[in-house]
Amino acid sequence: MGMNRRDFLKSSAAAAAASAVGISVPAEVQAAATQGEAGWRWDKAVCRFCGTGCGIMMATKNGKIVAVKGDPAAPVNRGLNCIKGYFTAKIMYGADRLKVPLLRMNDKGEFDKKGKFKPVSWKRAFDEMEKHIRKALKESGPEGVAVFASGQYTVMEGYAAQKMMKGGFRSNAIDPNARHCMASAVVGFYQTFGIDEPSGCYDDIELTDTIISWGSNMAEMHPILWSRVSDRKLSDPERVKVVNITTYTTRSSDLADFEIIFRPQTDLALWNYVAHEIVYNHPEVIDWDFIKQHIVFAVGPVNIGYGMRRKGEKSLTPVRPDGSAGKYSALEMQTIRKEMAKKVSDLEAPALEPYGYKAGQEMKNRPGTLKHWMIAFEEYKKSLAPYTLDYVAKLVKGDPNEDLESFKEKLKKLAALYIEKDRKVVSFWTMGMNQHTRGTWDNTLSYNVHFMLNKQAKPGNGAFSLTGQPSACGTAREVGTFAHRLPADLMVKNPKHRKIVEKKWQIPEGTLNPVGNQHIMKIHRDIEDGVVKFAWVNVCNPYQDSASAKHWIKAAREMDNFIVTSDGYPGISAMVSDLVLPSAMIYEKWGAYGNAERRTQHWRQQVLPVGNAMSDTWQWVELSKRFTVNDLWGPYTLRNGKKLPDVRKAAEKMGYKPDTTMFEILFANDRAKKYTLDDPVAKGFDDSESRGDSRNVIGSDGKPFKGYGFFIHKYLFEEYAWFGRGHGHDLAPFDVYHKVRGLKWPVVNGKETPWRFNVKYDPYAAKHAKEAGLKDFAFYGPLAKALPHGDLKGVKDKKKTSLANKAKIFARPYMDPPEMPDKEYDTWLCTGRVLEHWHSGTMTMRVPELFRAVPEALCYMNPKDAKKRGLKNGDLVIVESRRGKVKVRVETRGRNRPPQGLVFVPWFDERVLINKVCLDATCPMSKQTDYKKCAVKIYKA
């Protein structure tokens, strides 16, 4: 049967799509598809985008990916993909794909920070990295060597990077861009449960009666999950309710029974309103048996600042008479000064009154703290007293044109949905709650409502934080590539945890650095301050994705430092750098991701990398060959005066010589070599790191790279997995993941755990409950489980009480953000993503179909705001803040429909570098940047 390529692709796609939804396919179409697919190798993989964790099937032929389709066997997406998922293979084949290392050089071939990029060998690239790392260690110690890490690392890449940074360089200056997306959720989990990651799973969507989205445009950001929400809503439209809580109307609003447009930051008050309704007006619905057995009430200080630079930091000195300070203008300092002290506003005064503050009073801020203490229920009740319907409605209403009384009715309907006794409720959120100067507070407030109603950790019930990136859970959080973390919830500051890691890694006791405070924004600030001398960008784009971006770009280009970016394409971070390394992209390497429901998924290398590109794992392992025991394990004094001991003699006692390399210790050790290349899992698939490949890439030593001779991916995964097994983070064996479509940890006796902390579903909960004499739940997380006692204003009794197996309900007030619209900067700015593009657009803007669909970032504006400014749809405008400005085209009829007083500009377009405009204020507890609110003015370009 003759068939051209176009007809074949249509037939094949139709057959695959029909199969996914259970439709029988005509025999001739199926035959044509089968004939056309002759010689194709199909294998399972995971989508490259977002934290949903969709499974895909990938076909390869002659070393190229020729087709991608949704995996019908994948429980997450059930054969469906979103528009990005369908084009996930094309992200690897853009015309300007990086294929060789590039170094800034002068005409003599010498490195020159002001030179132009010229191709160099891998050996020359590593020579330069080694030289500048040695210089950084000599001048600044371990704090001078930093890594911008990623929630898009594979598990193996993140684990390799962490081993070398923390075990080799003794530096905790490694922090992922997941700091920008999930850190507030993480600290919320730790503070509430004592352990990270959600208690529920995606199955809650089909089991619940009510889906409430808080600051999460699921229709565009998690479209496959939204398809499941839509299906659930349509299955029983009268019973199932959907509510969209948002600062502007989105596509998620189209399905909702009603939407609540709130003023930025006031979601804090909205959560407290629902809790107030429960405690004051419907106390009969509080499940006191559950609370007395499983919950305590707690509070922490409120004067914690906004996570900005503080007085006395190098780049904020000297302070000048005109109000400017150091490298910051007088306009910027108007906001930054609030980090040290602020006046309590009339808006927030009622909410802060129970904590001892009044309107007009100066609040002196101290750096954010995680400290908190137990309080009585009556104190918690007192904290809720201000959140009456009248106060909250006036404070929260975000659309100035909405009738106040109708808005009040929406608030009452929202509370009623939570309160209804037999109604199951799932609360979803993403960046709206996480990217927030009180993001940790916001996260903990969600659990308050669910706990009081005993609607948490149960099928169809629970507060659930969705994840932004494909492995923000699996690599950033579980592997522990944050500055303060180690694998499986171990912490660098805990000496017992450090000993566990040192023993497993077989490095001397005392090697690991106990100071882990160089989060991603502090790394930027340390570069600007001249402390960080060497920074390496891995699988992210920090010079496009960080707020107040012009400061960090300027520091990277003008300070005495050496910046390296590993990437597949020349994005902004690559252009800012001194050395660019070509990285293998997702299906050109073995890997694993962990999604938002704790599901770990693996894939094999499908094709060879383009050009001379190599994986980030290989890059880290090769770098480790350049440094020895003698180079790295001597004594250091950190900035805070903390001494890192000389562990070289201890290393000798362990059998290491002064010239033993980190490669031999951390990667090519006897444990690793037990994972041999004859492993059946790897049969028939490339492995560029373990075996080398047919390209014969000239490696870091100037010789053709022939592979490590052992199955390095399996070694790295299994060693990492060891940390969680038996400790509530249990992962299945490496081989198992290549047979299944992922498993939700903890995986115990081969079975995944759908609902944690629930005795019926979680073997760890069952074990702890039995030991403690509990019946239905055990919140067994170990962190922050002994607290002193006090009231809303402070600690009164320092004696600590054990909270084993208990979770916490927190008193958290509404507070203003540090920057709000005023007469000069009269508009709220919100940033985020759109369906067609992923993060900084480095990959998706190179897919022709996605580029054509959305070729530029737009300024979504209310038509009335446009008219007031004399603007019309399509006009070019300037969006300007105290920090910077960008030129962007106005859109008044788009998919995003802001109320008057707010605009939305997505950040995928490097030509519209909106993060020059954004404020780098963070949640002081989680250090997550608040991209969702700052003040701007808008005028015609």
Side-chain angles (χ1 to χ4, degrees), residues 620-641:
W620 274 104
V621 174
E622 290 302 292
L623 183 66
S624 73
K625 294 177 178 179
R626 300 294 185 113
F627 296 91
T628 66
V629 167
N630 205 44
D631 293 331
L632 301 182
W633 287 356
Y636 292 104
T637 301
L638 304 178
R639 278 178 290 179
N640 66 355

Side-chain angles (χ1 to χ4, degrees), residues 210 212 214 243 245 258 260 270-271 273-274 408-420 425:
T210 319
I212 302 180
W214 291 76
V243 183
I245 300 173
F258 62 95
I260 293 175
L270 196 50
W271 276 118
Y273 162 73
V274 178
K408 287 182 179 180
E409 289 303 312
K410 287 183 182 178
L411 299 188
K412 288 193 284 187
K413 285 166 65 177
L414 174 68
L417 288 173
Y418 278 104
I419 290 168
E420 186 179 329
V425 185

Side-chain angles (χ1 to χ4, degrees), residues 474-666:
T475 309
R477 295 157 74 176
E478 294 160 25
V479 170
T481 53
F482 284 94
H484 63 291
R485 289 178 72 163
L486 293 163
D489 280 351
L490 301 179
M491 300 290 170
V492 299
K493 71 177 181 180
N494 187 317
K496 292 180 181 178
H497 291 181
R498 295 197 303 275
K499 286 181 182 179
I500 291 169
V501 176
E502 287 164 344
K503 185 176 181 180
K504 184 62 179 176
W505 288 355
Q506 294 189 12
I507 60 179
E509 188 173 312
T511 302
L512 293 181
N513 181 346
V515 181
N517 61 11
Q518 284 176 281
H519 56 86
I520 205 161
M521 290 311 304
K522 185 163 177 55
I523 291 173
H524 276 309
R525 293 167 186 169
D526 280 349
I527 292 172
E528 188 174 51
D529 286 350
V531 174
V532 167
K533 300 290 187 179
F534 176 93
W536 190 1
V537 175
N538 286 186
V539 207
C540 62
N541 194 352
Y543 290 97
Q544 185 175 341
D545 73 28
S546 296
S548 202
K550 71 175 185 180
H551 275 277
W552 324 128
I553 292 172
K554 184 177 181 180
R557 294 306 314 133
E558 296 182 5
M559 298 294 291
D560 177 23
N561 54 44
F562 191 77
I563 311 295
V564 183
T565 289
S566 296
D567 205 340
Y569 291 104
I572 284 182
S573 295
M575 292 187 282
V576 164
S577 297
D578 302 303
L579 173 66
V580 180
L581 304 179
S583 283
M585 294 183 70
I586 178 169
Y587 309 117
E588 298 170 340
K589 57 193 176 186
W590 288 68
Y593 281 160
N595 81 344
E597 61 169 353
R598 293 173 281 108
R599 183 180 298 277
T600 307
Q601 303 180 83
H602 284 234
W603 67 90
R604 299 174 176 90
Q605 182 175 337
Q606 301 297 315
V607 292
L608 295 182
V610 301
N612 288 332
M614 294 295 286
S615 75
D616 292 74
T617 300
W618 180 86
Q619 293 173 35
W620 274 104
V621 174
E622 290 302 292
L623 183 66
S624 73
K625 294 177 178 179
R626 300 294 185 113
F627 296 91
T628 66
V629 167
N630 205 44
D631 293 331
L632 301 182
W633 287 356
Y636 292 104
T637 301
L638 304 178
R639 278 178 290 179
N640 66 355
K642 180 78 177 179
K643 306 275 188 182
L644 296 186
D646 188 332
V647 296
R648 290 175 292 186
K649 288 186 178 179
E652 286 188 48
K653 291 179 181 178
M654 296 176 71
Y656 303 134
K657 298 177 181 178
D659 63 352
T660 302
T661 65
M662 293 297 125
F663 173 69
E664 297 167 277
I665 297 169
L666 300 176

Side-chain angles (χ1 to χ4, degrees), residues 1-305:
M1 174 173 141
M3 179 175 281
N4 63 32
R5 183 176 184 274
R6 180 183 177 83
D7 289 338
F8 158 66
L9 288 173
K10 288 169 68 176
S11 301
S12 186
S19 175
V21 295
I23 298 173
S24 60
V25 180
E28 62 271 20
V29 173
Q30 186 64 59
T34 302
Q35 177 187 342
E37 292 180 13
W40 288 14
R41 180 186 69 187
W42 285 99
D43 195 35
K44 74 178 182 71
V46 186
C47 182
R48 176 62 177 79
F49 306 110
C50 97
T52 301
C54 292
I56 60 174
M57 294 299 293
M58 183 163 290
T60 54
K61 184 177 182 179
N62 299 328
K64 275 269 191 178
I65 298 171
V66 292
V68 174
K69 64 183 179 182
D71 183 355
V76 171
N77 55 311
R78 305 165 183 177
L80 296 177
N81 280 148
C82 77
I83 188 170
K84 291 190 296 294
Y86 284 119
F87 291 109
T88 192
K90 280 197 171 184
I91 64 173
M92 302 194 305
Y93 300 121
D96 59 343
R97 182 75 192 271
L98 294 168
K99 297 179 180 179
V100 296
L102 302 170
L103 177 68
R104 289 187 184 274
M105 293 191 289
N106 59 26
D107 292 338
K108 298 178 182 178
E110 303 164 329
F111 165 67
D112 185 341
K113 197 166 181 70
K114 295 183 179 180
K116 294 182 179 179
F117 283 119
K118 297 179 182 178
V120 294
S121 66
W122 276 111
K123 182 179 184 303
R124 174 70 187 278
F126 280 103
D127 287 346
E128 293 292 341
M129 291 173 74
E130 177 187 347
K131 179 174 74 175
H132 286 93
I133 289 171
R134 290 183 185 278
K135 178 184 175 186
L137 288 169
K138 183 177 181 181
E139 294 183 13
S140 296
E143 291 163 308
V145 176
V147 172
F148 292 104
S150 180
Q152 298 170 66
Y153 270 143
T154 69
V155 166
M156 296 77 148
E157 287 169 344
Y159 187 67
Q162 173 165 238
K163 282 195 85 173
M164 186 57 199
M165 278 296 287
K166 295 178 181 177
F169 294 129
R170 309 177 79 182
S171 172
N172 292 324
I174 173 172
D175 209 55
N177 58 359
R179 179 73 70 175
H180 293 318
C181 89
M182 292 308 300
S184 295
V186 172
V187 181
F189 283 123
Y190 279 152
Q191 294 225 314
T192 303
F193 298 97
I195 191 171
D196 192 11
E197 301 206 25
S199 54
C201 62
Y202 296 159
D203 293 350
D204 287 324
I205 296 171
E206 284 76 28
L207 298 171
T208 193
D209 305 312
T210 319
I211 294 104
I212 302 180
S213 174
W214 291 76
S216 178
N217 183 7
M218 290 175 69
E220 292 202 55
M221 304 309 116
H222 296 86
I224 296 302
L225 294 183
W226 195 245
S227 73
R228 291 176 62 171
V229 170
S230 302
D231 185 58
R232 176 62 183 138
K233 171 64 178 172
L234 296 174
S235 71
D236 190 354
E238 291 302 314
R239 173 64 180 171
V240 177
K241 301 299 180 185
V242 177
V243 183
N244 190 32
I245 300 173
T246 176
T247 58
Y248 58 95
T249 298
T250 67
R251 285 180 170 178
S252 298
S253 303
D254 297 338
L255 181 72
D257 290 270
F258 62 95
E259 69 173 0
I260 293 175
I261 303 290
F262 68 94
R263 187 205 310 248
Q265 190 91 353
T266 61
D267 45 352
L268 294 159
L270 196 50
W271 276 118
N272 277 316
Y273 162 73
V274 178
H276 175 277
E277 285 298 291
I278 294 169
V279 170
Y280 281 88
N281 297 329
H282 296 277
E284 73 281 358
V285 301
I286 300 175
D287 190 330
W288 279 109
D289 288 339
F290 171 81
I291 287 177
K292 288 175 181 177
Q293 195 169 35
H294 301 294
I295 302 294
V296 299
F297 297 89
V299 72
V302 298
N303 60 330
I304 57 176

